[in-house]
Amino acid sequence: MTEPSKIRSFDVAPLIGTAVEADIETLLSGDHAAELRELLERRGVLVFPRLHMSKEQQLAFSATLGEVLIQGSKQVLNISLDKNENKGAEYLADYFKGSFFWHIDQTSEDSPCRASLLGARNLSDVGGETEFANTYAAWDALPESEQRTYEGLRVVHSLEAAQLYITPEPTVAEMEGWRKIPTKVHPLVWTHESGRKSLVLGSTASHIEGRDLSEGRMILTRLREWATQPQFVYQHRWTLGDLVIWDNTGTMHRALPYPFDSGRLMTRTTLKGEEVLA
Ligand code: OGA
Ligand code: MN
């Protein structure tokens, strides 16, 4: 009889992030998929140090965890700021610069993606760490009186709000391009099917519906500042071959700036949203 395959895990910070040690074969077997999904939902981020999966393996592993999204005809996307890496889709490099600011992916959708996996193929000599903030933990830690004032608020999300961070003086054509993606209104507090609650914030959050603009923007700023305090944040300093998964429904993330020509190259696979943000 063969031994059941084993994985070992340990928390990297009290409120976010767990490192998982397992070999590629064990992960590809799918035997631990349910356990890993549960761990991801509870811990926000899973780190597999120096795993060195090939792109094909990353895709196969992703498929054990959920339905892999097709993004612009690909299931495995190269994340790079280098225009040569994004041939035929040079605008993507500008788009990825948006990742330098705290955000949640796919807030333009009713059901933002469940999770993404990033595999480190090439690193920048400087910068390029990825930070994650646990938006469940941030909600849980808010004083109850404050929680009561936020519940029920609705936030308008737009690509324009996020792109203004990197292009603060856009052309009309740029603005028109961003506006092709319709705005989306989401609750500020996501009540998940599990009953847990998380904050929905980030660079796409433009303003609070029905509130005075400056008042609404102050609330969003207050909450971003709150949710990105050190106790809610895990910063991943990449080593070649690392694989990191984040729960996009219960965390925000950002990349720390790195030079556009640094050669940093990540491969990303993304799991389809499973729950309407409500
Ligand atoms: C992303 C993203 C951050 C990084 O892929 O959605 O924000 O560190 N990436 O590359
Ligand atoms: Mn992102």
Side-chain angles (χ1 to χ4, degrees):
M1 215 174 86
T2 54
E3 286 261 310
S5 57
K6 290 256 164 51
I7 61 174
R8 237 174 53 83
S9 66
F10 55 94
D11 295 348
V12 295
L15 294 178
I16 181 168
T18 294
V20 181
E21 284 171 0
D23 57 46
I24 291 177
E25 195 188 342
T26 301
L27 295 174
L28 292 185
S29 73
D31 289 350
H32 298 277
E35 182 185 346
L36 290 171
R37 280 177 54 97
E38 187 278 325
L39 198 58
L40 178 64
E41 203 259 346
R42 193 152 48 81
R43 301 290 306 158
V45 180
L46 302 182
V47 176
F48 301 78
R50 296 181 179 85
L51 192 59
H52 291 288
M53 274 188 172
S54 68
K55 289 186 183 187
E56 293 71 26
Q57 288 168 332
Q58 182 178 332
L59 178 56
F61 176 45
S62 303
T64 69
L65 298 172
E67 184 179 336
V68 180
L69 269 186
I70 299 170
Q71 302 171 287
S73 83
K74 292 184 189 138
Q75 284 187 301
V76 184
L77 200 65
N78 283 344
I79 308 282
S80 167
L81 297 180
D82 185 342
K83 295 207 155 109
N84 291 322
E85 278 288 339
N86 298 305
K87 282 253 164 59
E90 280 80 1
Y91 67 90
L92 272 179
D94 286 331
Y95 181 71
F96 290 144
K97 279 181 222 163
S99 67
F100 291 165
F101 302 93
W102 287 110
H103 65 284
I104 295 172
D105 293 332
Q106 292 189 351
T107 55
S108 57
E109 308 280 334
D110 290 322
S111 302
C113 54
R114 180 76 182 77
S116 280
L117 297 83
L118 272 192
R121 309 278 154 194
N122 208 358
L123 300 178
S124 176
D125 291 337
V126 289
E129 300 86 351
T130 308
E131 294 190 324
F132 303 91
N134 189 331
T135 52
Y136 283 117
W139 168 259
D140 290 342
L142 273 173
E144 233 182 276
S145 59
E146 229 184 311
Q147 287 183 337
R148 275 197 299 275
T149 65
Y150 298 140
E151 238 165 342
L153 294 184
R154 290 162 61 78
V155 179
V156 179
H157 289 259
S158 69
L159 177 61
E160 179 175 318
Q163 289 295 302
L164 279 172
Y165 282 77
I166 52 172
T167 310
E169 290 183 341
T171 61
V172 168
E174 282 170 325
M175 290 260 283
E176 284 171 352
W178 300 337
R179 288 184 182 193
K180 286 188 184 133
I181 308 283
T183 60
K184 191 77 172 173
V185 182
H186 288 301
L188 175 57
V189 183
W190 185 344
T191 305
H192 298 252
E193 284 165 11
S194 64
R196 295 178 73 203
K197 291 181 184 188
S198 67
L199 289 164
V200 181
L201 303 165
S203 60
T204 58
S206 166
H207 57 278
I208 294 180
E209 194 181 55
R211 283 285 172 111
D212 176 72
L213 263 193
S214 71
E215 183 198 351
R217 297 196 56 80
M218 188 59 93
I219 292 173
L220 293 172
T221 300
R222 149 80 182 142
L223 287 176
R224 196 231 313 118
E225 187 176 41
W226 172 265
T228 57
Q229 293 177 95
Q231 66 268 33
F232 305 127
V233 173
Y234 167 66
Q235 182 190 84
H236 187 67
R237 288 185 206 91
W238 293 92
T239 302
L240 220 54
D242 288 353
L243 184 80
V244 170
I245 314 180
W246 71 91
D247 177 348
N248 186 59
T249 70
T251 60
M252 289 192 275
H253 60 282
R254 69 171 177 184
L256 296 193
Y258 54 94
F260 305 150
D261 59 357
S262 69
R264 185 184 192 268
L265 178 64
M266 301 285 174
T267 49
R268 189 177 80 190
T269 43
T270 295
L271 306 182
K272 194 174 173 212
E274 297 168 357
E275 195 180 316
V276 173
L277 202 177

